[in-house]
């Protein structure tokens, strides 16, 4: 079976701690505005919060953390803000990738990298190669990412490799071409900053993800905000289309399977 299990193909096992958390880090600009500071100060603080989030995820045994850093629509922002974000991205890549590696973190980037300066792409590729064998946490940064872009690029790749598939193909034929095909689908989605929308993030992958929205602005996100999200996640019943009664029966069966058989006298 492919490691990136799909919730519409087979029902993933439910864990108390989400295996994969995906976050839309929103609210940097408003955080800065509240403090009469330029928006970029919010982005700078947002980087600090990324460190906090990584540490908190590792401590809680989360295996995959995916962070939306720059959307395919964020190019619509003022030029100065975009330049600052790109510069910040380069600085962070230079400073942090080695630290990620020392901490056993696998670093990945998803998104249309063709729009970035070659210097950025090179840093990304080097970082991915350096950390490829790490297993403590897989940290994915979505940069110039769009859910619709991902679906389209996957279809293009699939058709390029399987000309025979053009008339009929299934979910599983396509799934392997998504930018994040190495990860299971997110169990928990968090959006900070108060908006309750997906903003073209992981459209395909969020099909059965539990959604959590908080008014906390990203620079204020902390381990306790994460804990609140996890507590909310733990109160949910992940049914994947089944009824509550079916779930209870399958839970009972699983528990009975765990009881060791009695030894013969
Ligand atoms: C999220 O914070 C960071 C990026 C999109 C790069 P925003 O910059 O969107 O902050 P708000 O939503 O304006 O407060
Ligand atoms: C979503 O935030 C993208 C990132 C956090 C990178 P935005 O602030 O750009 O989202 P919208 O435009 O308010 O939906
Ligand atoms: Mg925003």
């Amino acid at each position: 079976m492919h490691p990136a299990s799909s919730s519409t193909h087979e029902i993933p096992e439910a864990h108390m701690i989400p295996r994969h958390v995906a976050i839309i880090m929103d609210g940097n600009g408003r955080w800065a505005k509240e403090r009469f500071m330029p928006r970029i100060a919010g982005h700078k603080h947002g980087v600090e919060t990324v460190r906090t989030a990584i540490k908190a995820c590792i401590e809680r045994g989360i295996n995959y953390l995916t962070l939306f850093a720059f959307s395919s629509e964020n190019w619509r922002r003022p030029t100065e803000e975009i330049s600052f974000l790109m510069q910040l991205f380069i600085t962070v890549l230079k400073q942090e990738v080695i630290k990620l590696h020392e901490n056993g973190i696998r670093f990945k980037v998803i998104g249309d990298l063709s729009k970035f300066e070659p210097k950025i792409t090179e840093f990304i590729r080097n970082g991915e190669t350096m950390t490829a064998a790490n297993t403590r946490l897989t940290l994915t940064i979505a940069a110039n990412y769009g859910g619709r872009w991902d679906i389209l690029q996957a279809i293009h790749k699939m058709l390029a490799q399987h000309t025979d598939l053009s008339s009929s193909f299934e979910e599983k034929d396509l799934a392997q071409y998504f930018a994040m095909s190495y990860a299971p689908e997110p169990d928990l989605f968090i959006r900070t900053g108060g908006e309750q929308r997906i903003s073209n993030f992981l459209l395909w992958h969020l099909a059965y993800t539990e959604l959590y929205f908080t008014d906390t602005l990203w620079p204020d996100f902390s381990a306790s905000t994460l804990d609140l999200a996890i507590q909310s996640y733990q109160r949910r019943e992940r049914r994947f289309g089944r009824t509550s009664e079916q779930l209870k029966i399958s839970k009972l069966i699983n528990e009975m399977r765990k009881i060791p058989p009695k030894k013969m006298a």
Side-chain angles (χ1 to χ4, degrees):
M1 194 191 72
H2 200 268
S5 55
S6 157
S7 45
T8 46
H9 269 296
E10 76 278 333
I11 301 159
E13 217 182 296
H15 297 269
M16 285 302 280
I17 293 294
R19 262 202 308 169
H20 185 171
V21 176
I23 308 182
I24 297 189
M25 311 183 285
D26 197 17
N28 292 349
R30 279 163 284 164
W31 183 91
K33 201 174 167 199
E34 278 175 4
R35 287 160 180 77
F36 307 101
M37 294 197 287
R39 292 178 58 81
I40 56 172
H43 296 315
K44 260 190 173 168
H45 247 87
V47 174
E48 296 294 322
T49 314
V50 169
R51 290 193 196 100
T52 310
I54 294 172
K55 189 166 171 272
C57 284
I58 291 177
E59 284 168 357
R60 282 151 189 78
I62 290 160
N63 303 122
Y64 296 86
L65 172 64
T66 301
L67 300 173
F68 204 6
F70 193 86
S71 77
S72 44
E73 288 70 36
N74 285 146
W75 297 106
R76 294 177 182 145
R77 294 199 176 193
T79 328
E80 314 84 70
E81 184 169 342
I82 295 174
S83 317
F84 179 83
L85 285 168
M86 292 304 142
Q87 204 44 56
L88 188 64
F89 197 24
I90 295 176
T91 313
V92 172
L93 280 169
K94 270 193 198 160
Q95 287 174 356
E96 302 293 321
V97 171
I98 189 85
K99 288 188 206 153
L100 294 176
H101 184 50
E102 285 164 2
N103 283 292
I105 298 165
R106 174 163 70 144
F107 170 71
K108 300 283 262 179
V109 176
I110 54 168
D112 182 2
L113 299 187
S114 67
K115 300 283 184 300
F116 290 120
E117 282 175 42
K119 196 162 62 171
I120 298 188
T121 325
E122 195 187 318
F123 277 133
I124 291 172
R125 293 296 174 229
N126 289 345
E128 288 183 330
T129 310
M130 188 203 302
T131 62
N134 295 339
T135 55
R136 206 166 167 209
L137 173 82
T138 296
L139 170 69
T140 301
I141 304 295
N144 192 22
Y145 180 86
R148 291 182 179 175
W149 164 83
D150 200 4
I151 293 170
L152 279 176
Q153 69 81 31
I155 293 173
H156 282 300
K157 273 193 191 146
M158 183 188 67
L159 293 181
Q161 292 194 15
H162 304 276
T163 38
D164 52 317
L165 275 176
S166 55
S167 59
S168 106
F169 56 87
E170 295 174 11
E171 272 185 33
K172 63 175 171 25
D173 300 315
L174 187 61
Q176 58 186 305
Y177 295 104
F178 286 119
M180 202 165 48
S181 59
Y182 50 85
E185 290 176 358
D187 302 295
L188 173 62
F189 159 97
I190 301 172
R191 181 170 185 147
T192 61
E195 312 295 349
Q196 303 200 355
R197 54 179 174 250
I198 304 292
S199 299
N200 200 15
F201 194 27
L202 301 158
L203 297 182
W204 177 282
H205 314 67
L206 296 178
Y208 267 105
T209 303
E210 297 298 329
L211 308 179
Y212 182 83
F213 298 94
T214 171
D215 288 337
T216 303
L217 303 172
W218 177 249
D220 290 328
F221 181 92
S222 65
S224 40
T225 327
L226 178 66
D227 286 336
L228 286 176
I230 295 175
Q231 282 160 23
S232 167
Y233 170 83
Q234 289 170 341
R235 288 194 295 269
R236 319 265 178 105
E237 187 177 58
R238 302 192 76 191
R239 291 193 285 275
F240 298 102
R242 293 167 298 175
T243 66
S244 199
E245 288 68 29
Q246 283 175 303
L247 267 184
K248 280 176 195 124
I249 291 169
S250 76
K251 228 185 213 166
L252 270 176
I253 294 172
N254 281 341
E255 272 160 27
M256 278 165 72
R257 281 204 183 115
K258 281 183 201 148
I259 302 171
K262 272 195 183 145
K263 279 205 183 110
M264 300 282 277

